[in-house]
Amino acid sequence: MPIFSSLPPSTRMIVLLTALGFMTLEYGLGRLAGRKTHDLRETAASFAIAIGQHLIRAMVALVAAFPFTIAYRHRIFDFDTSRPLALLALFLASEFVYYWHHRASHRVRWLWATHAVHHSSTHLNLTAAIRLGWTSEISGHFLFYLPLALLGFHPLAIIGMLGVNLLYQFFIHTELAPHLGPLEYVLNTPRHHRVHHAANESCLDRNYGGVLIIFDRLFGSFAEAPAGETLRYGLVGVAPSFNPLRIAFGEWIAIARGSPELGDAAARAGCCARTEAPPRGVTRQPRRMLMTSHLRSFMAAMAAALFVSTTAVAAERGITIDTSDGPRHAMVMTTGKTPQPTVIVLHGALGSGAGAARTTGFAEAARAHGFAAVFPDGLDRQWNDGRSGGPDDVGFIRALVRHLVADGTAAPRRIYLAGISNGGMMSFTLACKAPELFAGIGTVIANMPDGTAPCAARPVPVVMINGTADPMVPYRGGEVGLRGGRGRVWSAEKTAEFFARRDGCGVRQAAALPHRDLASDTSVTQLSWRDCQVIGGVSLYRVEGGGHALPGRRPLAPRLLGPGNFDIDAAEVILRAFDLARTL
């Protein structure tokens, strides 16, 4: 990722002048100490390589930017890196990934072909720090960091954190630094990084850390400098070169020619690219085969990213609604021509609209059934469903519906509401306070909150999905929360019966659904109220033994919140019911 290229021109100039100043200072101090810290030809080659790397990586930035955009769009969580804890989590996560990325770059030839450039200098100084390979994006180094975007860290935050890592590492590429005392145990210091770059036998494959050295200590790759030995730098068995092109592509040329595998002395590099020697008589797998395998893996990853992106064909936009509580936001996803039947999906507590779009399955189900999907954000990541005071969320949803109808997104009589947990309770509140807005209600792991009455008596079809072992929203009603104290709710069946009476429904029926999730002890029973005044009636999908989890999706914390279920997909069940109500 072209971190330097992403900086404003004035900032780039400041960074460049500062780096040149430190390089000059290091050279001057080395001369005063009578030490040969630089080779001017090698330094010139390092500057040429740095310029080439800057130009080439800027041109191929989209190779990495595209998969990161796709990964972040499908992120699992939302981490606000303006918060100290989230920033600390990103720092530790990026350091952990950097360690394994760096370690892999020293042992996998496909990755080493780029990284070898950095180890080709025979002097360890600040100019060696800017000697970086040109083919990083092409060889797929960025793939190691995609999980961070998928977890929920913004790509720009990841780039910024890696920039901090590289900035720190610039200063540890020197032999003119003192012992840093206790910091040596935690930080990757110049003393540790000298070992990493050294070509001495006892230094090979050691000290991969970026800012921290703790992962090397944890995973057994840490080493101190060998006592009584002078550290040597550069590629073992490879003659130094001052030709930038030969330095940048030398290992690629060796791969193309079928040179010996990494681990052999003629191809091995200082502190890197060494595989453990096998027992005598055991033949290693040819590196050319390994290279082909890594190429296939890289192409498969890119193909997967392309597939995900091409299947996400919904047009997506953000909207802002002015309310008495300030600006409120929502994500709108449309397919086909508008106006469309539209489902508004309310996230659970601590969630977000974008998070619900990525993780609940409602975006995909809406697209499959020809619905527009709208994912609003609750203030402070929750909804005022009536259990306690808070913002005027009923007013916000009213304003949101007006906006969707006015801008041509939503068909006025085909607007549906779905909610998960706290969002499901908010859906029941809206069904009572603003029933005229919605043609159907769907909820998951939610019951009617106490204190919602009086409730407007407009019939509306309802689909509920509840787990009987839900520790957060008890199936039989009562206190909400693992330890209670978060208000009270009705039981699931009392809630369903209430809407069945309001809809003028007749006899209740029960039917066990096919048990497909053989890995789980949970099962699903559908309770249905038919002969209602509205199409679709009322249905309660009772997940026997199910916890506070969205059926059809992997539960986040099954030991704490109870097991999930894959006999049904909650989003598909609800959208199918809405689609049936729309077409009949």
Side-chain angles (χ1 to χ4, degrees):
M1 288 168 282
I3 298 170
F4 183 73
S5 304
S6 66
L7 297 175
S10 58
T11 305
R12 290 204 300 266
M13 182 59 66
I14 293 172
V15 171
L16 181 60
L17 292 176
T18 302
L20 289 174
F22 277 105
M23 291 175 185
T24 304
L25 177 62
E26 180 192 35
Y27 176 74
L29 291 175
R31 292 293 298 270
L32 289 174
R35 301 176 61 177
K36 184 174 175 53
T37 58
H38 292 69
D39 181 304
L40 294 184
R41 293 174 300 172
E42 196 168 72
T43 297
S46 294
F47 276 106
I49 290 170
I51 293 171
Q53 190 258 0
H54 172 68
L55 295 175
I56 291 173
R57 296 185 77 184
M59 288 189 292
V60 298
L62 287 178
V63 174
F66 178 71
F68 268 92
T69 301
I70 299 302
Y72 187 67
R73 179 175 295 177
H74 293 82
R75 61 195 181 274
I76 301 171
F77 305 106
D78 279 293
F79 291 107
D80 182 1
T81 49
S82 65
R83 302 185 177 220
L85 284 179
L87 195 62
L88 176 61
L90 175 58
F91 170 71
L92 293 175
S94 62
E95 282 292 308
F96 181 77
V97 173
Y98 179 85
Y99 170 83
W100 289 107
H101 167 221
H102 199 177
R103 188 164 181 167
S105 298
H106 292 242
R107 292 175 174 267
V108 178
R109 195 171 191 184
W110 177 261
L111 301 173
W112 167 246
T114 297
H115 192 59
V117 176
H118 185 59
H119 285 269
S120 60
S121 175
T122 60
H123 293 78
L124 184 64
N125 52 49
L126 296 180
T127 63
I130 64 173
R131 186 181 280 225
L132 301 173
W134 294 358
T135 54
S136 180
E137 273 74 20
I138 296 172
S139 55
H141 285 251
F142 65 87
L143 292 173
F144 283 84
Y145 301 92
L146 283 182
L148 297 180
L150 189 61
L151 274 174
F153 293 108
H154 195 282
L156 292 179
I158 298 170
I159 290 174
M161 191 59 71
L162 291 176
V164 171
N165 186 308
L166 293 179
L167 178 63
Y168 176 85
Q169 289 195 56
F170 172 79
F171 292 100
I172 63 175
H173 285 80
T174 182
E175 293 192 287
L176 302 179
H179 190 286
L180 298 181
L183 293 177
E184 299 277 351
Y185 190 82
V186 177
L187 297 179
N188 183 23
T189 65
R191 292 179 67 251
H192 300 326
H193 209 58
R194 291 172 210 159
V195 175
H196 175 72
H197 272 266
N200 304 53
E201 182 68 23
S202 60
C203 296
L204 298 176
D205 306 319
R206 295 291 183 261
N207 300 1
Y208 297 113
V211 175
L212 303 176
I213 201 67
I214 57 175
F215 295 118
D216 287 282
R217 296 184 185 276
L218 286 173
F219 298 112
S221 56
F222 175 75
E224 297 279 5
E229 291 186 32
T230 300
L231 297 182
R232 307 182 308 276
Y233 304 106
L235 303 178
V236 177
V238 178
S241 174
F242 307 114
N243 183 332
L245 294 178
R246 181 175 293 278
I247 295 170
F249 298 110
E251 183 61 23
W252 289 110
I253 294 171
I255 290 174
R257 288 176 176 173
S259 66
E261 62 174 307
L262 296 175
D264 290 346
R268 202 168 66 210
C271 290
C272 59
R274 179 186 171 193
T275 53
E276 296 298 327
R280 290 185 182 274
V282 178
T283 303
R284 292 186 178 96
Q285 183 181 4
R287 277 292 176 177
R288 179 167 285 181
M289 292 178 62
L290 285 179
M291 185 195 75
T292 303
S293 174
H294 295 310
L295 176 60
R296 286 199 300 266
S297 299
F298 171 67
M299 295 304 294
M302 293 301 296
L306 284 169
F307 174 77
V308 170
S309 66
T310 54
T311 56
V313 295
E316 179 183 314
R317 71 181 190 276
I319 60 174
T320 300
I321 308 293
D322 291 325
T323 72
S324 59
D325 297 300
R328 303 291 297 271
H329 306 286
M331 175 188 294
V332 179
M333 304 175 71
T334 58
T335 59
K337 296 181 179 180
T338 54
Q340 289 181 270
T342 299
V343 56
I344 298 174
V345 182
L346 305 183
H347 61 76
L350 304 181
S352 68
R358 290 189 311 275
T359 62
T360 62
F362 276 96
E364 294 84 353
R367 184 164 61 245
H369 289 273
F371 280 63
V374 182
F375 300 90
D377 289 327
L379 279 183
D380 296 324
R381 295 179 174 265
Q382 59 185 345
W383 299 101
N384 176 21
D385 57 29
R387 287 175 291 155
S388 60
D392 181 13
D393 283 331
V394 173
F396 166 46
I397 299 300
R398 283 187 182 276
L400 175 62
V401 169
R402 287 196 299 269
H403 181 97
L404 295 171
V405 171
D407 73 2
T409 297
R413 297 181 181 277
R414 291 292 182 266
I415 300 175
Y416 302 82
L417 184 64
I420 302 100
S421 191
N422 171 220
M425 294 183 224
M426 185 67 210
S427 298
F428 287 132
T429 298
L430 286 162
C432 286
K433 305 297 184 184
E436 73 282 0
L437 297 179
F438 304 108
I441 304 291
T443 66
V444 189
I445 49 178
N447 299 336
M448 177 79 85
D450 270 354
T452 311
C455 189
R458 179 179 180 271
V460 61
V462 175
V463 180
M464 296 174 58
I465 303 174
N466 292 75
T468 61
D470 188 336
M472 288 289 292
V473 182
Y475 183 84
R476 293 175 178 81
E479 292 283 342
V480 176
L482 292 174
R483 298 181 179 178
R486 299 179 61 182
R488 298 181 61 86
V489 293
W490 297 358
S491 72
E493 294 186 21
K494 178 181 177 181
T495 303
E497 292 279 4
F498 170 81
F499 284 101
R501 289 195 303 272
R502 195 178 73 167
D503 292 355
C505 298
V507 179
R508 187 181 87 170
Q509 301 173 337
L513 300 188
H515 182 46
R516 301 185 180 91
D517 185 8
L518 300 181
S520 171
D521 293 332
T522 63
S523 60
V524 180
T525 300
Q526 181 182 3
L527 306 180
S528 304
W529 288 260
R530 301 303 180 193
D531 301 325
C532 305
Q533 297 175 9
V534 293
I535 296 172
V538 176
S539 292
L540 168 60
Y541 290 81
R542 186 173 64 199
V543 183
E544 312 287 353
H548 196 72
L550 199 69
R553 304 285 149 172
R554 186 177 299 277
L556 290 178
R559 292 187 179 181
L560 181 66
L561 301 178
N565 175 274
F566 288 90
D567 288 341
I568 60 173
D569 183 287
E572 176 61 26
V573 165
I574 290 173
L575 263 295
R576 188 167 60 240
F578 291 168
D579 202 10
L580 178 65
R582 172 176 66 123
T583 54
L584 289 179

